[in-house]
Amino acid sequence: MSKAVNNMGMSIVEPQERIKHLSHYGNLIEVDRNMPVTRYYRSGTEMLRMANVYLNEGNHENAFILYLRYMTLFIEKIRQHPDYPSIKSEVKAINKRIKDEIMPTTEKLRAKLLSHYQREYEQFLANKEAERARELERERQRQKELANREAAGSTVPSLIPANLHVQIDVNNQPTAPDLTLLDQVVYPNDFPTGANRTNLPNSGLLLPTGDTNVDKTANAHATKPIFDRSQKPQYNRSDSLLAGSLRTVNVPGDTMDVFLKLAQANTSKNIETCGVLAGHLAHNQLYITHIITPQQQGTPDSCNTMHEEQIFDVQDQMQLITLGWIHTHPSQTAFLSSVDLHTHMSYQMMMPEAIAIVCAPKYNATGFFILTPHYGLDYIAQCRQTGFHPHPNDPPLFMEAQHIKMDNNSKVKVIDLRR
């Protein structure tokens, strides 16, 4: 059997099941045939960059997932892309690195995680068995006390005071009792106040018996278990790679002001300006640190980057990862046009947390947007139209980003490649 059942009717995932759980997330990557193959090559570079950060920080689960994802992409999935022959030489070098470095590192992580999970699981079972023995002993004591009371002929004491009685008058008619004596009656509290109830975190290890699907969002509510929960094996459910949620993106408070100054010359001519948002990963949060302004061509309602290889060179030199993009709407409000939706799709496909910042100086407005993860992203990925074209508005294709955090204590840096 791969699972044990605790006293709440829940299943505790055993070590091998936990490894399978991680491996499942490691395989969650697909290749869009219409996405430029070079984007996947870049995505792989940034994937390794993040995996190495996780490894150095001791977050072995996330590192394991990203190394697996990297291998899945370049050993298996990238071959499905029609332009695969054009990067065959690069992939050949990547596969050599996988064989020499990444695969051995991943296997060491697998062994380390398995050993750690095994220790946690054994400790959990030992604690549970000890608590079961204590509960049996408490039950024996209760039965013994009950037997002693019965043997002594003890009875349940009356809750009615002895001096509360009904008097009979001379005409044999009952008279009303002295109601002031009711203040002396003690009433038992048969209903718990709820203070002994608690919310159980959705750890990812406690699964409903017979159901292997992990609920990613809901918190379970149940009576607090008797055993020591501090010893229960658990996943870090705040972790997006395991839970499917988005990591927080920290945005320097001056980002919009700095970018609007960069774009001022174009804005005065009613021309859009765009830039790439780049930064780093630390402690499972993403931090925007740079705006990279590439060479570009703009119009009143569009902006196209040029010479992307220059952006990649800068990012490689500074070990930066792509976290989204920023652009102006000189004379319009803050929203994502049909062209913007397709532009952002390429960012969000590579990095689920990638954001699109739209600055609308005429209306003094800023929007922080993402494609809706469960509809808009897939819809735009499958849309083959180019240029400005209509899209349905219901269900919505994009939404305000909920995973950003403004950081007024940090300042954004600029790398302007237009000069």
Side-chain angles (χ1 to χ4, degrees):
M1 294 178 63
S2 61
K3 297 178 182 177
V5 179
N6 70 1
N7 58 3
M8 293 162 48
M10 306 294 281
S11 300
I12 313 302
V13 180
E14 290 188 349
Q16 288 291 350
E17 290 296 317
R18 293 179 74 175
I19 291 293
K20 289 180 182 178
H21 187 72
L22 297 186
S23 299
H24 166 73
Y25 283 101
N27 290 325
L28 289 181
I29 186 167
E30 296 296 333
V31 169
D32 185 338
R33 296 168 60 87
N34 296 285
M35 184 80 69
V37 72
T38 53
R39 290 291 180 111
Y40 289 100
Y41 181 71
R42 286 304 307 173
S43 177
T45 299
E46 298 190 356
M47 210 180 290
L48 278 189
R49 205 162 280 164
M50 289 188 290
N52 292 336
V53 170
Y54 280 131
L55 183 63
N56 292 333
E57 290 181 348
N59 191 334
H60 295 155
E61 290 178 328
N62 271 354
F64 180 74
I65 289 172
L66 286 180
Y67 285 134
L68 281 181
R69 197 168 291 176
Y70 183 87
M71 290 190 288
T72 299
L73 174 61
F74 288 108
I75 293 176
E76 177 188 349
K77 299 296 180 70
I78 199 66
R79 298 174 183 272
Q80 302 168 8
H81 199 286
D83 295 333
Y84 168 72
S86 67
I87 62 163
K88 229 175 181 181
S89 58
E90 287 90 346
V91 172
K92 184 177 181 180
I94 289 173
N95 287 342
K96 185 178 187 306
R97 184 177 185 183
I98 288 174
K99 180 182 177 181
D100 295 344
E101 301 174 25
I102 299 171
M103 193 173 289
T105 299
T106 306
E107 288 307 310
K108 288 179 182 178
L109 279 175
R110 185 193 302 272
K112 183 175 290 188
L113 286 168
L114 190 59
S115 176
H116 177 70
Y117 292 162
Q118 185 64 37
R119 289 195 300 272
E120 282 190 338
Y121 188 65
E122 290 173 357
Q123 184 64 55
F124 170 74
L125 293 180
N127 289 349
K128 196 174 81 150
E129 187 61 32
E131 181 53 43
R132 182 182 291 114
R134 287 192 292 269
E135 180 59 30
L136 288 173
E137 180 59 28
R138 286 192 288 268
E139 181 61 26
R140 280 195 292 269
Q141 289 297 327
R142 285 194 292 268
Q143 294 296 331
K144 182 178 179 181
E145 291 172 3
L146 180 60
N148 289 339
R149 286 198 299 269
E150 290 177 348
S154 63
T155 60
V156 178
S158 173
L159 295 177
I160 302 177
N163 58 348
L164 178 63
H165 58 276
V166 178
Q167 298 178 351
I168 306 298
D169 64 10
V170 294
N171 296 318
N172 291 324
Q173 296 296 321
T175 61
D178 184 357
L179 297 180
T180 61
L181 295 177
L182 288 177
D183 292 337
Q184 303 174 28
V185 179
V186 179
Y187 292 95
N189 181 7
D190 294 330
F191 304 99
T193 63
N196 63 332
R197 300 185 66 82
T198 184
N199 292 333
L200 298 181
N202 187 5
S203 70
L205 283 177
L206 290 179
L207 306 177
T209 303
D211 184 2
T212 58
N213 293 322
V214 179
D215 183 350
K216 300 183 180 63
T217 58
N219 285 330
H221 297 277
T223 303
K224 184 176 181 180
I226 300 172
F227 57 87
D228 184 0
R229 290 187 60 81
S230 66
Q231 300 298 328
K232 182 183 70 64
Q234 58 185 336
Y235 291 137
N236 176 8
R237 299 303 292 174
S238 65
D239 192 323
S240 68
L241 296 182
L242 290 173
S245 59
L246 297 177
R247 292 167 290 188
T248 299
V249 176
N250 294 271
V251 183
D254 66 341
T255 299
M256 284 65 71
D257 289 340
V258 168
F259 184 68
L260 284 172
K261 289 178 182 178
L262 284 174
Q264 181 56 47
N266 282 344
T267 301
S268 63
K269 301 173 186 176
N270 194 30
I271 295 175
E272 284 194 7
T273 306
C274 65
V276 174
L277 301 171
H280 65 270
L281 167 73
H283 307 296
N284 206 39
Q285 293 195 26
L286 300 164
Y287 294 83
I288 293 173
T289 57
H290 291 75
I291 298 174
I292 304 174
T293 313
Q295 295 187 46
Q296 55 194 269
Q297 291 179 335
T299 71
D301 52 20
S302 67
C303 187
N304 296 314
T305 61
M306 304 163 59
H307 306 295
E308 282 191 329
E309 68 279 359
Q310 295 178 355
I311 303 174
F312 300 155
D313 288 343
V314 168
Q315 289 181 291
D316 289 343
Q317 291 170 18
M318 304 184 70
Q319 295 291 295
L320 299 173
I321 56 179
T322 305
L323 300 177
W325 64 303
I326 183 171
H327 73 290
T328 57
H329 280 181
S331 58
Q332 300 183 77
T333 58
F335 68 102
L336 292 183
S337 68
S338 59
V339 171
D340 294 339
L341 292 173
H342 283 264
T343 299
H344 188 64
M345 184 268 295
S346 63
Y347 285 94
Q348 198 169 326
M349 287 281 284
M350 300 296 104
M351 169 73 72
E353 292 85 358
I355 61 173
I357 302 179
V358 182
C359 299
K362 181 178 178 179
Y363 296 91
N364 193 28
T366 301
F368 300 83
F369 302 116
I370 61 170
L371 295 173
T372 51
H374 301 297
Y375 179 74
L377 186 60
D378 289 337
Y379 183 92
I380 296 300
Q382 296 172 19
C383 178
R384 297 294 171 254
Q385 298 186 62
T386 59
F388 290 97
H389 54 279
H391 288 132
N393 295 320
D394 189 24
L397 296 175
F398 68 96
M399 59 182 282
E400 287 278 350
Q402 303 297 313
H403 62 292
I404 63 168
K405 179 182 178 182
M406 300 306 299
D407 182 2
N408 293 321
N409 295 320
S410 63
K411 304 292 184 182
V412 75
K413 299 176 183 178
V414 174
I415 300 174
D416 197 338
L417 300 178
R418 299 174 299 174
R419 300 167 183 168

